Amino acid sequence: MQGLARVAAAGMMRTWAAISMQGSVTIPQPSDTPVAHSPGIDSDRILVLGSGPAAGWGVSSHDLALPGSLARALSGRTQRGADVALIASSIGLLASAQVQLRGADLRRLDAIVVVLGVGDALHLTAERTWQADLTRLLNFVERHTNDSAYIYVQGIQPIRAIPIFNSLGGTIADRHARSLDAITERVCLSMRRSVFVPVADVEFLASAGLSDSTDYRHWGEFLAKKMAGRLDVVQRSRYPVPLGSTDAPPRTAPIRGGDQRRLGRGCDTRLDHIVALAQQSFGTASALFAIRDSNRLQIRSSIGPALPTPAWSDSMSAMVMRARGAVIVPDTLADQRLRRKAFVTGAPHMRFYAGFPIEAASGERLGALGVFDPEPRADSGVDAVLLRQLALMIQEEMNTNGEFAG
C-alpha cells in the first residue's frame, strides 16, 4: 500500500486502534516492578524490549507474564538461574524503542529479546520507515552489547489473536505485520548478532481472552527454545575477559560524595560477619570483600592472614567483576594465566579461589566476594549457589545502607 492511499488507510487504522484500545481498560495488567528471577547459579541476564502483549496484558504480575515465564523456561533448559527485565509499553512504536533504552547498561546482558511491531502493524507504518528504524535500533544494540550477546527479534504477534483487535481491522493489521516481518528477517540477516524468530501460525495468547498465564508460559518456552543453545555456549567460557585486561567494568559505581573515610563506617561490622560466614562455610584460610578504588583494590572486610593490596588490574576481584557469575579456580598453578601472579608465588600463596561479583541496585559492579586457600581443591565440591547467596547478602547490605551512588 503506497502513497495517499496508505496515508488515508493509516489514519483510519489509528482511529480504529485507539477506539479498540479503550476496551483494554478493564483488562488486568501488571503494576509490579517489571523484573523476574529464576534461582540458580551463574544467572543469565536477559532484557525484553517489547510492546503489546509483552507488557503483560491479562495477568496481574510480571512473574506470571513474559518475564517470569521466560526466566523459568530458560532455567529449565540451562539448569542455571535467569534474571529477566522488561522495558515495554502497551502500544509502543519501533521508532521510540531506542529512546526507551537510554540509561540501560546493555553490556551486562547475555541476550536481548525484541518484541515490537503490534503498534506499527496497527498504524500501518510504512515499510521503508520500519526498515530504517529497525536497522538503526539493531545497530545501536549491537554496538552497546558484548560480542557474546545475541539479539532475538521476534516476529509480530498475530494481531487477531488479541481479542480487542479480532475484527476486520485486525485482518488488515495482520497482513501488514507479515510484510514487516519479511523486512525484519532481511535486516537481521545483515547483522552480526541479530536473530529473527518467526511466529507464523503461532498464537501465544488464547482467543477466548487475556486472563490465563498459560499463554505466557507457552510464549516463554517458545523463546527459551530458541535462546538456550547460544546462552550455553557463552556460559562455557570460564574467563570471558582476558585476565590481563585493564578495562574497567562498565559504569562502575562511584563512592558517594567522594569521601573515602566514609568507607570505614556504616555496615562494616555486618560485612565482617558475612565474610567470616563465607570463610567458615567454605573451610578456607581466607575470605574477603573488596571494591575498586581508582586503580587499586580496596579491601572492605577480610578474614585470614594480612594481605598485600595489589593493583586493581592484577587482582582476582577485578577478574570476578568482569565475569558473568561465579569464578572458580581449583588450582592456580595449573592455570597458565595465574601461576606467576604475585599472590600465587608469594603471600597469601593462593592455590584455590572462588568469587562472585557484587552489584549496586542499578546493576553496576561494585566489587567481589572471594574465598581462597593455599591448598587446591576440586571445583566439583564448590557450592556456587551458596557463594552467590552470601554475595547477595553483602549486596543487600551495601545497597540498604546507601554506601554507593546509584
Side-chain angles (χ1 to χ4, degrees), residues 36-45 71-72 74-84 110 235 324-326 328 356-357 382-392:
H37 172 69
S38 181
I41 63 171
D42 296 340
S43 294
D44 294 308
R45 297 172 178 184
R72 288 185 290 273
L74 281 173
S75 289
R77 290 180 175 274
T78 65
Q79 303 303 306
R80 296 188 300 274
D83 295 305
V84 180
D110 297 301
Q235 287 287 350
R324 287 182 171 79
I328 300 171
F356 202 93
V382 180
D383 190 343
V385 175
L386 174 60
L387 184 62
R388 180 179 186 272
Q389 290 173 335
L390 292 166
L392 290 176

Side-chain angles (χ1 to χ4, degrees), residues 29-346:
Q29 293 192 45
S31 59
D32 56 345
T33 304
V35 296
H37 172 69
S38 181
I41 63 171
D42 296 340
S43 294
D44 294 308
R45 297 172 178 184
I46 315 298
L47 172 67
V48 177
L49 176 64
S51 66
W57 294 352
V59 292
S60 58
S61 78
H62 288 289
D63 188 62
L64 296 175
L66 185 56
S69 297
L70 179 57
R72 288 185 290 273
L74 281 173
S75 289
R77 290 180 175 274
T78 65
Q79 303 303 306
R80 296 188 300 274
D83 295 305
V84 180
L86 172 72
I87 298 176
S89 60
S90 290
I91 301 292
L93 299 179
L94 177 62
S96 63
Q98 187 171 324
V99 176
Q100 292 180 285
L101 291 176
R102 286 180 180 172
D105 187 0
L106 303 183
R107 293 200 181 277
R108 61 191 292 269
L109 298 172
D110 297 301
I112 294 179
V113 180
V114 178
V115 187
L116 295 167
V118 169
D120 290 274
L122 291 168
H123 290 193
L124 299 185
T125 296
E127 295 177 2
R128 185 175 300 177
T129 301
W130 174 268
Q131 179 171 335
D133 289 341
L134 182 63
T135 300
R136 189 179 303 112
L137 173 66
L138 295 183
N139 276 326
F140 174 83
V141 174
E142 289 202 1
R143 282 199 313 272
H144 291 84
T145 50
N146 290 320
D147 287 340
S148 59
Y150 276 79
I151 300 96
Y152 299 86
V153 186
Q154 181 188 285
I156 300 172
Q157 163 77 36
I159 307 300
R160 289 200 65 165
I162 305 171
I164 59 175
F165 301 131
N166 188 14
S167 64
L168 176 60
T171 299
I172 296 171
D174 265 330
R175 188 180 302 120
H176 190 59
R178 303 292 74 81
S179 298
L180 298 183
D181 279 348
I183 295 170
T184 300
E185 185 171 15
R186 292 198 299 270
V187 171
C188 288
L189 287 172
S190 71
M191 300 287 172
R192 292 191 305 116
R193 292 182 284 110
S194 296
V195 179
F196 177 61
V197 181
V199 294
D201 301 321
V202 176
E203 295 186 0
F204 298 116
L205 300 180
S207 58
L210 290 165
S211 60
D212 192 345
S213 60
T214 302
D215 302 312
Y216 290 100
R217 179 169 58 81
H218 292 324
W219 192 350
E221 290 171 352
F222 170 79
L223 287 172
K225 183 178 179 180
K226 306 292 184 181
M227 299 168 63
R230 289 187 179 90
L231 289 171
D232 281 338
V233 170
V234 171
Q235 287 287 350
R236 287 194 180 98
S237 173
R238 176 71 74 178
Y239 302 108
V241 177
L243 297 186
S245 172
T246 58
D247 293 340
R251 295 178 62 213
T252 301
I255 297 169
R256 187 181 299 279
D259 185 358
Q260 300 295 326
R261 291 173 299 173
R262 175 172 165 74
L263 293 174
R265 302 195 302 269
C267 62
D268 281 6
T269 301
R270 172 65 172 160
L271 294 181
D272 288 343
H273 170 75
I274 300 172
V275 172
L277 181 60
Q279 182 259 338
Q280 295 167 8
S281 298
F282 286 89
T284 54
S286 305
L288 66 79
F289 164 51
I291 63 172
R292 181 177 182 172
D293 177 12
S294 186
N295 291 322
R296 296 197 65 80
L297 184 76
Q298 183 179 96
I299 299 174
R300 289 296 309 274
S301 178
S302 67
I303 300 295
L307 301 172
T309 307
W312 172 256
S313 60
D314 199 43
S315 69
M316 292 293 288
S317 294
M319 182 187 74
V320 174
M321 281 181 62
R322 294 190 294 264
R324 287 182 171 79
V327 170
I328 300 171
V329 183
D331 187 354
T332 55
L333 290 181
D335 194 301
Q336 295 288 342
R337 294 164 289 188
L338 297 175
R339 62 192 311 171
R340 293 183 177 85
K341 295 286 187 180
F343 51 77
V344 175
T345 59

Side-chain angles (χ1 to χ4, degrees), residues 345-357:
T345 59
H349 299 284
M350 186 186 298
R351 292 287 299 279
F352 162 77
Y353 178 87
F356 202 93

